[in-house]
Amino acid sequence: MTRTDGYLLDNRQSEAAERFTAFADLFDPTTFRHLAALGVGPGWRCWEVGAGGTSVVSWLAKKVGPTGKVLATDIDTTRLAAAARPPVEVRVHDVGAQEPPAEGFDLVHARLVLVHVPDRERALASMVRALRPGGRLLVEDADPALQPLVCPDESGPEQQLANRLRHGFRTLLAQRGADLSYGRRLPRLLREAGLLRVEADAYFPLASPACVALESATIRQIRAQLVTAGLATDEEIDRHLANIASGSMDLATAPMISAWGRKG
């Protein structure tokens, strides 16, 4: 498969805001539960990697308070501007290509980031290096290959079309270097990085309004790429979007696997 450079889902596109809102609705409860269990509190220094939107950054800022710090980084910080006030600092940073922006963090967290990073091995090593001794790392990433269907209950032609377009989406992601089976490897990778007390779990959203919103925004965002690559026609995409809007399908997302551990 030929590698195509560039992130498929550009934060500057209009649909990106809809995707961030859907991700927050789907995954924030899981993320916040893990962060709370790790003990995030007043005075903590946190690095939010590939922040994209503001929901996790804002939650962390409230928890660490005025004596703490939240460094929010991304290759495109367009949608982080609203959060850029103490204790939050926003900085442009490529976790897969640059040295960590600082060291001595109590927490480093990345959600739905590393699966898209070409040099994800370097990125993970950078995140571990940025932790203080005893600091916590929480990495949450999708595993589209573990459950590749947007309609697990493929009961009719509408669901079959939806799953074929999801296959096209996965093809485009793979062409850009995404690792579609990355999530399942996180526990082993954290142990191999030297972290202690490594644990993991998975969350698999099915049939929620946020799944519907995410699918609609994603298909509209990648429409041109699907057509150009010959993976779908405009007529098929219009039909799928109409099927989504009808509310007749149970839509899912790829499982998000959360893995966490502590630096020795």
Side-chain angles (χ1 to χ4, degrees):
M1 185 172 291
T2 302
R3 167 75 183 276
T4 302
D5 289 331
Y7 181 42
L8 180 63
L9 299 160
D10 193 326
N11 287 357
R12 291 166 293 184
Q13 292 178 262
S14 59
E15 295 86 0
E18 297 175 58
R19 286 173 49 80
F20 286 140
T21 298
F23 282 138
D25 291 343
L26 287 167
F27 298 124
D28 276 1
T30 296
T31 296
F32 296 163
R33 173 170 58 86
H34 289 312
L35 291 172
L38 291 175
V40 178
W44 276 44
R45 299 180 71 251
C46 305
W47 177 19
E48 180 66 17
V49 181
T54 61
S55 65
V56 176
V57 173
S58 298
W59 187 93
L60 287 171
K62 290 179 182 178
K63 290 295 182 180
V64 305
T67 61
K69 179 176 181 178
V70 179
L71 177 61
T73 65
D74 205 327
I75 56 174
D76 181 353
T77 59
T78 303
R79 301 188 181 277
L80 287 171
R85 58 183 179 275
V88 176
E89 177 188 350
V90 173
R91 192 182 304 179
V92 174
H93 180 265
D94 185 342
V95 69
Q98 296 176 275
E99 292 298 303
E103 295 186 359
F105 288 104
D106 300 290
L107 169 79
V108 177
H109 172 244
R111 186 173 76 184
L112 305 176
V113 174
L114 296 189
V115 67
H116 299 289
V117 175
D119 196 348
R120 55 189 65 87
E121 182 178 348
R122 174 177 175 174
L124 183 59
S126 176
M127 292 162 63
V128 172
R129 191 162 67 253
L131 289 168
R132 66 164 176 81
R136 281 79 158 175
L137 176 66
L138 171 62
V139 182
E140 302 180 296
D141 244 312
D143 196 312
L146 191 62
Q147 195 299 105
L149 304 178
V150 69
C151 292
D153 180 19
E154 195 177 78
S155 57
E158 295 88 355
Q159 290 78 13
Q160 292 168 0
L161 174 60
N163 286 336
R164 186 155 59 80
L165 293 183
R166 174 58 61 92
H167 176 74
F169 177 37
R170 293 174 62 234
T171 298
L172 292 174
L173 286 172
Q175 287 174 347
R176 284 160 174 79
D179 184 344
L180 302 181
S181 58
Y182 187 66
R184 74 190 73 177
R185 294 199 289 275
L186 285 173
R188 172 173 57 83
L189 294 174
L190 265 58
R191 287 196 304 271
E192 290 176 351
L195 296 187
L196 308 175
R197 303 180 188 175
V198 173
E199 298 181 54
D201 65 14
Y203 175 57
F204 173 34
L206 175 65
S208 88
C211 288
V212 174
L214 180 61
E215 176 68 4
S216 175
T218 299
I219 291 297
R220 286 182 280 114
Q221 188 164 2
I222 65 170
R223 177 179 191 134
Q225 293 96 322
L226 286 170
V227 173
T228 299
L231 296 167
T233 66
D234 278 314
E235 187 275 331
E236 289 171 330
I237 292 172
D238 286 337
R239 183 154 33 103
H240 179 50
L241 290 172
N243 292 338
I244 294 172
S246 73
S248 62
M249 296 188 296
D250 294 322
L251 300 175
T253 71
M256 183 181 75
I257 297 176
S258 304
W260 58 94
R262 178 177 300 195
K263 189 172 184 178

